[in-house]
Amino acid sequence: MSLIHALVARGSVILAEHQAGKRNFSQATEKILSKIPPNDSKLTYVWEEYLFHYISEGGFTYLVMADDSAGRRMPFAFLADLQRKFVGAPSTSASLDTPAHGLQGSFGPTIAALMHTYNTAPPADALAQAQTELNQVKNIMVQNVEQILSRGERIELLVDKTDAMAGQATAFRRGARSVRRQMWWRNTKVVALCVLVALVFLWILVAQFCGAGLNQCSSKNQPEPASTS
């Protein structure tokens, strides 16, 4: 566990406390309390492998003993939360005349519950919460940038498709003109062939009556010579 021993004191008088471990640190905490100045302060004392963090404000001291591995941020977040709960407790108004451990029955369970919360699932402090929110915003921005880039790729793809369609349309127009030209020449050839066939058919028809060289028809049209007596 990270938090081992926590208490609320008025000067050097302990009003309520809770110890999570089996080892008794009462002498150490009393010695630390005797060293805390009467003015408002916030400090950390080192004793063996343990750290004593405290907040002294308004004549009351909020102290917690923690492992060195807990650092400073989480224990001081615990002390700030402990101070808020103590100031908001109904028994605070009468705590100026309360004897030693006079609030153990009323506020001791609050210290125990708060220590259990911070030892098992400590709430995120303001800095960590701000960092989390910043990471969330960063992730959202990354997603937005990815969407923008994806949209840009789609626009570029649409432009490429438009250019391809324009090229296909140009090629289609060229092909249409070529086909139309080929059809015109084909129709012209068909008409010329039809005319030629008609001329040949006409020639064959006329040749049946006038001969192949059309000589018979021409001789019939010539005038007969006049007779002489």
Side-chain angles (χ1 to χ4, degrees), residues 14 32 38 41 44 46 49 76 88 121 130 135 138 149 171 174 186:
I14 299 176
I32 295 296
S41 59
T44 298
V46 180
E49 69 272 19
F76 275 105
N135 292 333
K138 182 183 68 175
L149 293 177
R174 292 177 181 175
R186 183 176 300 175

Side-chain angles (χ1 to χ4, degrees), residues 83-126:
Q83 182 182 13
R84 285 192 297 269
K85 290 183 180 298
F86 181 76
V87 173
S91 58
T92 304
S93 59
S95 59
L96 294 177
D97 300 327
T98 304
H101 295 89
L103 299 179
Q104 185 65 34
S106 60
F107 198 72
T110 303
I111 301 176
L114 193 61
M115 284 185 64
H116 178 73
T117 299
Y118 274 80
N119 279 329
T120 55
D125 59 345

Side-chain angles (χ1 to χ4, degrees), residues 6-17 29 32-43 45 52-64 79 82-83 86 107 111:
L7 59 86
V8 177
R10 184 185 68 248
S12 60
V13 178
I14 299 176
L15 301 178
E17 65 181 338
T29 54
I32 295 296
L33 285 174
S34 64
K35 294 180 178 295
I36 296 175
N39 58 305
D40 295 348
S41 59
K42 180 188 297 184
L43 198 62
Y45 287 103
F52 287 85
H53 312 277
Y54 78 87
I55 296 176
S56 180
E57 185 175 341
F60 294 96
T61 300
Y62 310 91
L63 184 143
V64 63
L79 291 176
L82 179 63
Q83 182 182 13
F86 181 76
F107 198 72
I111 301 176

